[in-house]
């Protein structure tokens, strides 16, 4: 349907709201959703405006890396715990930049600018934390700050941690292999944010779920679109269900059912004109 024909209202304000509150919202009756264990809304809204958030914290990869570093001999010698390997913890964060990796400089008559922290070199971590290293499969010794500078594609297979490698592969499969694991979440595009939400949902949910998407093809290259279609097909193979709003012909063509709303926008929309 055209913009304003009621697609987002149907997905978010009726279907999602009704399932989340377990009662009809914006409609008289709603049936058939008892087969789902959960309903997941994956839209284009920003994940976070906090520059302390990053892909590694959102998906849970940082938590797995913290576990690996807490096992190291250096960590044990310094009596460091898993929680200390968070750049938001008292012992973990760089004392100069407070875990941001950058310092803000206020400029007269100009927007504030951010410059790399000289103390931690942008790693976000205290020098004591950066003294702890673990050896990867490539025989290189890494600090946790150095690992967060890598992309998900670069980190895959460096360590023998099945859960870590599975989550990294999931990011690559979603076309997010280029993302630096420690980059600020507020620097992500709308499409990247949406796919990162999907990666988080796939990691943290179990059972048979309904996934709701708002224009998942937005901003995607054709190769990334193919990856997304593969992810959708895998979800269906696992007996999940998907409803998505879309204008992209390639993505629409894979749907089992198509519903067109309209005929126009605003007061002229909200009616099913093709099914």
């Amino acid at each position: 349907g055209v913009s304003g024909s009621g697609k987002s209202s149907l997905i978010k304000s009726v279907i999602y709201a009704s399932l989340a509150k377990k009662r009809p919202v914006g409609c008289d009756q709603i049936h058939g959703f008892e087969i789902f264990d959960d309903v997941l809304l994956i839209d284009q809204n920003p994940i976070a405006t906090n520059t302390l958030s990053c892909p590694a914290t959102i998906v849970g990869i940082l938590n797995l890396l913290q576990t690996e570093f807490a096992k190291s001999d250096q960590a044990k010698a310094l009596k460091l715990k898993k929680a200390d390997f968070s750049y938001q913890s008292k012992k973990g964060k760089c004392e100069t930049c407070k875990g941001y990796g950058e310092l803000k400089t206020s400029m007269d008559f100009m927007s504030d600018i951010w410059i790399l922290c000289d103390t931690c070199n942008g790693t976000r971590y205290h020098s004591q934390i950066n003294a702890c290293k673990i050896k990867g499969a490539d025989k290189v010794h890494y600090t946790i700050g150095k690992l967060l500078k890598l992309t998900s594609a670069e980190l895959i297979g460096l360590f023998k941690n099945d859960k870590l490698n599975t989550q990294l592969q999931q990011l690559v499969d979603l076309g997010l292999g280029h993302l630096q694991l420690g980059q600020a979440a507020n620097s992500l595009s709308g499409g990247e944010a949406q796919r990162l939400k999907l990666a988080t949902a796939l990691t943290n949910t179990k059972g048979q779920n309904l996934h709701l998407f708002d224009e998942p093809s937005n901003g995607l290259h054709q190769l990334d679109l193919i990856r997304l279609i593969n992810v959708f097909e895998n979800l269906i193979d696992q007996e999940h269900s998907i409803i998505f709003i879309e204008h992209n012909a390639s993505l629409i063509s894979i749907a089992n059912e198509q519903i067109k709303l309209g005929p126009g926008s605003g007061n002229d929309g909200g009616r099913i004109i093709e099914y």
Side-chain angles (χ1 to χ4, degrees):
V2 299
S3 296
S5 61
K7 303 183 299 295
S8 294
S9 297
L10 176 61
I11 291 287
K12 298 178 182 179
S13 303
V14 179
I15 297 176
Y16 179 72
S18 295
L19 270 65
K21 295 185 178 181
K22 302 185 185 303
R23 62 178 176 81
V25 176
C27 61
D28 295 326
Q29 298 179 23
I30 190 161
H31 303 284
F33 293 102
E34 60 276 358
I35 66 170
F36 299 115
D37 295 296
D38 200 2
V39 55
L40 307 165
L41 175 63
I42 303 166
D43 56 21
Q44 300 273 351
N45 293 334
I47 291 177
T49 55
N50 184 355
T51 52
L52 284 173
S53 298
C54 66
T57 59
I58 294 164
V59 180
I61 288 171
L62 182 60
N63 182 56
L64 298 174
L65 291 177
Q66 288 174 255
T67 301
E68 292 294 323
F69 276 91
K71 297 175 185 175
S72 68
D73 293 336
Q74 290 157 308
K76 291 175 181 177
L78 293 169
K79 296 182 179 180
L80 295 172
K81 299 178 181 178
K82 175 183 174 181
D84 296 327
F85 287 90
S86 166
Y87 55 76
Q88 298 186 50
S89 67
K90 186 176 181 180
K91 285 187 178 180
K93 62 186 176 184
C94 170
E95 293 180 333
T96 303
C97 65
K98 308 303 180 187
Y100 285 92
E102 298 176 317
L103 297 171
K104 184 171 72 173
T105 301
S106 298
M107 305 289 288
D108 291 335
F109 310 112
M110 294 176 63
S111 300
D112 295 338
I113 61 171
W114 289 81
I115 58 173
L116 195 71
C117 175
D118 288 335
T119 303
C120 67
N121 290 318
T123 65
R124 302 176 180 239
Y125 283 98
H126 191 281
S127 57
Q128 183 177 236
I129 299 298
N130 278 329
C132 298
K133 298 179 180 180
I134 56 177
K135 187 167 69 173
D138 57 358
K139 310 300 182 184
V140 175
H141 287 81
Y142 291 91
T143 65
I144 192 167
K146 186 176 180 179
L147 288 179
L148 291 181
K149 292 288 186 180
L150 300 180
T151 66
S152 51
E154 291 169 335
L155 185 53
I156 288 178
L158 273 182
F159 304 103
K160 293 180 179 180
N161 184 314
D162 291 340
K163 191 172 182 180
L164 172 64
N165 289 322
T166 297
Q167 290 190 13
L168 291 168
Q169 187 61 55
Q170 210 164 64
L171 292 178
V172 173
D173 291 344
L174 286 167
L176 298 174
H178 64 284
L179 285 185
Q180 198 177 72
L181 290 167
Q183 80 178 70
N186 60 2
S187 69
L188 302 174
S189 69
E192 288 170 338
Q194 188 177 55
R195 283 175 286 158
L196 199 57
K197 288 180 185 178
L198 175 57
T200 306
L202 294 176
T203 299
N204 298 324
T205 60
K206 297 179 181 179
Q208 187 175 351
N209 304 318
L210 175 63
H211 298 261
L212 306 175
F213 290 87
D214 187 357
E215 297 195 46
S217 73
N218 188 30
L220 296 189
H221 183 274
Q222 186 64 27
L223 290 177
D224 290 327
L225 187 60
I226 292 171
R227 292 191 184 100
L228 182 64
I229 289 172
N230 288 334
V231 170
F232 279 6
E233 289 176 343
N234 287 335
L235 284 172
I236 299 301
D237 289 342
Q238 295 169 31
E239 300 188 346
H240 296 288
S241 296
I242 299 170
I243 300 176
F244 58 81
I245 299 166
E246 195 51 73
H247 295 283
N248 184 283
S250 296
L251 202 50
I252 291 172
S253 69
I254 71 165
N256 299 111
E257 301 286 350
Q258 296 177 29
I259 300 171
K260 188 173 182 180
L261 298 185
S265 59
N267 293 333
D268 293 327
R271 293 187 289 279
I272 295 176
I273 59 173
E274 188 178 313
Y275 177 64

